[in-house]
Amino acid sequence: MIPGARLIILGRQGAGKGTQCVRLSRHLVVPHISTGDMLRAATREGTELGLMAKEIMDAGGLVGDDIMIGLVDERLGRPDATTRGYILDGFPRTVAQADALDGITSERPIHVVIDLDVPREIVLERISARRVCRDCGTNYTASGQESQTWICDVCGGDVQQRDDDTPDAVNRRLDLYESQTSPLIEHYAAQGRLMVVNGVGRPDHVFKRLTDVVESRR
Ligand code: AMP
């Protein structure tokens, strides 16, 4: 595998990005750095950042650029990321974050930016079925047949719908994606750094498309 792969995975929330990133991180043996997971961990720990972020996340908004840039700068400076690389999931989400990331990674630039492309209508269907383990973050898809209590196969934690997966919050997030994040696709394409991967289809097929793109950029 690529030694020291540094990847950004863009895409609408609910596009199956998190699950694919976890699998890709195991495949490439690089850390999966999800800014959403970092914020949810801070919320669970009850830190000032976590409490502030929870309000914003539950409303489907975006946490301020300065805070996010500071978090990512610190995380990418840790030894696992500097030696192995990383898969960056959920960051950048604005052009200001992308510009800051260029500065943060100037000595070790990103190898490839992948847009995992899933249309908005399909994302809406997937999010309404999405369930997440509160403790370890493993994603599940509800069939509608489940009883109230659902225990995580991985860690035994409680599997529930995310607090920010309400219809209002989901629509707000998708609107913010179109206005704030989708310009990044053009931004990276203009720099010749973007690869688009079709994110519709069986997860195994999508994963194969992702690994093919990563291999092609070695
Ligand atoms: P995610 O797990 O990527 O779906 O992120 C969950 C929520 O965390 C988002 O809806 C935002 O409120 C917040 N968040 C995560 N990453 C960022 C970011 N790069 N910039 C701003 N807010 C973020």
Side-chain angles (χ1 to χ4, degrees):
M1 281 306 113
I2 309 183
R6 292 181 291 274
L7 313 177
I8 295 175
I9 313 279
L10 298 175
R12 293 186 172 83
Q13 286 172 308
K17 197 161 44 81
T19 312
Q20 293 290 350
C21 284
V22 167
R23 190 166 169 191
L24 199 57
S25 82
R26 291 187 187 133
H27 182 77
L28 298 172
V29 201
V30 298
H32 168 216
I33 300 181
S34 154
T35 45
D37 284 352
M38 289 162 78
L39 294 175
R40 282 184 287 276
T43 301
R44 281 197 297 274
E45 285 159 18
T47 64
E48 202 178 320
L49 165 70
L51 297 178
M52 182 272 290
K54 179 160 172 44
E55 254 183 59
I56 297 174
M57 287 192 286
D58 287 354
L62 288 178
V63 175
D65 284 338
D66 289 349
I67 293 173
M68 297 312 301
I69 290 164
L71 271 182
V72 168
D73 190 11
E74 189 275 330
R75 179 65 187 86
L76 297 191
R78 290 198 209 157
D80 60 343
T82 55
T83 55
R84 293 283 333 156
Y86 45 82
I87 295 173
L88 204 44
D89 169 14
F91 187 98
R93 258 182 163 94
T94 64
V95 173
Q97 291 180 11
D99 288 342
L101 185 61
D102 282 342
I104 293 168
T105 58
S106 59
E107 281 179 23
R108 298 183 191 84
I110 304 283
H111 295 114
V112 61
V113 181
I114 296 176
D115 174 29
L116 188 63
D117 186 32
V118 177
R120 184 172 174 136
E121 315 76 70
I122 297 184
V123 160
L124 275 169
E125 276 171 31
R126 286 189 188 173
I127 291 184
S128 59
R130 174 160 77 178
R131 302 291 180 271
V132 182
C133 172
R134 294 253 157 194
D135 292 337
C136 72
T138 300
N139 275 283
Y140 294 90
T141 304
S143 65
Q145 307 297 316
E146 295 80 8
S147 62
Q148 282 282 326
T149 328
W150 185 350
I151 303 299
C152 177
D153 295 338
V154 177
C155 76
D158 280 345
V159 177
Q160 293 174 357
Q161 189 155 37
R162 266 169 54 165
D163 291 341
D164 59 348
D165 277 352
T166 60
D168 280 354
V170 169
N171 272 304
R172 172 133 191 257
R173 289 206 309 260
L174 289 169
D175 288 345
L176 273 176
Y177 177 84
E178 306 309 333
S179 64
Q180 303 288 312
T181 309
S182 72
L184 292 180
I185 292 171
E186 192 50 46
H187 174 88
Y188 286 120
Q191 297 175 356
R193 298 160 77 187
L194 185 80
M195 303 288 281
V196 179
V197 169
N198 176 8
V200 180
R202 288 189 26 209
D204 284 351
H205 296 172
V206 175
F207 184 68
K208 171 80 170 56
R209 288 176 211 143
L210 276 171
T211 49
D212 284 351
V213 162
V214 173
E215 294 294 334
S216 73
R217 282 296 180 115
R218 292 179 78 169

